[in-house]
Amino acid sequence: MATRSSKKRPTLKTERLILRPFALNDAPRVALLAGDRDVAKTTLALGHPYEVSSAENWIATHQEGFEKSKQVVFAITLKNNHELIGAMGLVLNLDQEIAELGYWIGKPYWSRGYCTDAAREILHFAFTKLSLNRVHAHHFSHNPASGRVMQKVGMRHEGRLRQHVKKWGEFFDVEAYGILRSEFV
Ligand SMILES: CC(C)(COP(=O)(O)OP(=O)(O)OC[C@H]1O[C@@H](n2cnc3c(N)ncnc32)[C@H](O)[C@@H]1OP(=O)(O)O)[C@@H](O)C(=O)NCCC(=O)NCCS
């Protein structure tokens, strides 16, 4: 639970985006965007249907997760009108100096480069502020748009994990990507 002495979660900026902590009143917007079946179907984290209460429960974990150095989660918002368009986060393992990157963008905002912008900034944060050595991510093999994002930010394809995940009762292959601090420019 956030208290006055809480560690302040970071806010990052790019030319077009502000990446800020989620607040509980973002929950209806999260439920609307992440509640789209097309957004949920290629993510492991999102169920469907996705209720406002699920979004509230998820957002309520962020401060504690940050304080325990387990995760850092950003709301992706547009700089020009502050609209919330998606989410991106790092699941941290500070002992190993690694993190896993995950994200979704609301469907009306796809293919405008927003995910790539946010991922680049969050990798920069991971390597410079958190001093991590490696960030990894994976995507369903049938989700090439996510693979493009990983490639565009300089992550390397490291292999295919066969039937690594089960989503809605079906097993799927995933593509594994990673990037080292020494490779990030
Ligand atoms: C994957 C996702 C986050 C991408 O977000 P986005 O903001 O549209 O990403 P960007 O615009 O930065 O880049 C998308 C790239 O994929 C490309 N792309 C889109 N659909 C594609 C397809 N079917 N096949 C191949 N490439 C595709 C785009 O053209 C773009 O590449 P380009 O700049 O080289 O043209 C978004 O589609 C999404 O949220 N999907 C549902 C949730 C999800 O899958 N999350 C990721 C879990 S690993």
Side-chain angles (χ1 to χ4, degrees), residues 16 36-44 46 76 85-88 101-107 109-119 137-140 142-152 175:
R16 300 186 294 167
D36 185 324
R37 197 179 163 83
D38 286 340
V39 173
K41 74 181 182 196
T42 49
T43 61
L44 267 192
L46 297 171
I76 304 174
I85 64 162
M88 188 170 289
L101 179 71
Y103 45 74
W104 57 263
I105 298 284
K107 201 170 174 185
Y109 306 94
W110 286 4
S111 288
R112 299 190 204 174
Y114 290 136
C115 190
T116 304
D117 283 4
H138 58 246
H139 70 84
F140 285 80
H142 61 275
N143 185 16
S146 186
R148 274 299 295 148
V149 170
M150 294 174 196
Q151 290 156 16
K152 285 192 290 179
E175 307 300 324

Side-chain angles (χ1 to χ4, degrees), residues 5-182:
S5 60
S6 298
K7 231 166 96 181
K8 194 169 171 348
R9 288 174 286 160
T11 293
L12 311 175
K13 289 184 183 164
T14 75
E15 212 175 303
R16 300 186 294 167
L17 303 174
I18 297 175
L19 311 175
R20 61 155 173 83
F22 275 98
L24 270 187
N25 62 8
D26 291 321
R29 177 83 177 151
V30 170
L32 178 75
L33 296 175
D36 185 324
R37 197 179 163 83
D38 286 340
V39 173
K41 74 181 182 196
T42 49
T43 61
L44 267 192
L46 297 171
H48 188 80
Y50 191 77
E51 307 293 345
V52 174
S53 58
S54 304
E56 282 172 347
N57 292 339
W58 174 65
I59 292 167
T61 64
H62 292 183
Q63 181 66 28
E64 191 183 346
F66 181 67
E67 298 206 358
K68 291 187 167 165
S69 299
K70 297 273 182 224
Q71 61 169 11
V72 51
V73 185
F74 295 92
I76 304 174
T77 68
L78 298 182
K79 207 181 234 177
N80 61 358
N81 60 11
H82 298 279
E83 245 172 36
L84 192 159
I85 64 162
M88 188 170 289
L90 294 166
V91 175
L92 305 171
N93 181 337
L94 294 188
D95 289 341
Q96 296 296 315
E97 300 179 35
I98 62 170
E100 178 171 4
L101 179 71
Y103 45 74
W104 57 263
I105 298 284
K107 201 170 174 185
Y109 306 94
W110 286 4
S111 288
R112 299 190 204 174
Y114 290 136
C115 190
T116 304
D117 283 4
R120 201 170 275 129
E121 191 59 30
I122 287 174
L123 285 180
H124 182 258
F125 170 78
F127 291 129
T128 60
K129 296 284 187 261
L130 301 179
S131 300
L132 298 182
N133 181 51
R134 169 180 158 85
V135 175
H136 64 107
H138 58 246
H139 70 84
F140 285 80
S141 298
H142 61 275
N143 185 16
S146 186
R148 274 299 295 148
V149 170
M150 294 174 196
Q151 290 156 16
K152 285 192 290 179
V153 298
M155 299 181 85
R156 287 197 197 170
H157 185 240
E158 296 179 333
R160 170 173 296 185
L161 309 180
R162 295 169 308 137
Q163 299 194 10
H164 186 66
V165 296
K166 191 175 179 188
K167 175 85 183 183
W168 297 340
E170 233 186 298
F171 291 108
F172 290 100
D173 296 352
V174 300
E175 307 300 324
Y177 278 78
I179 183 168
L180 307 181
R181 183 170 60 213
S182 58

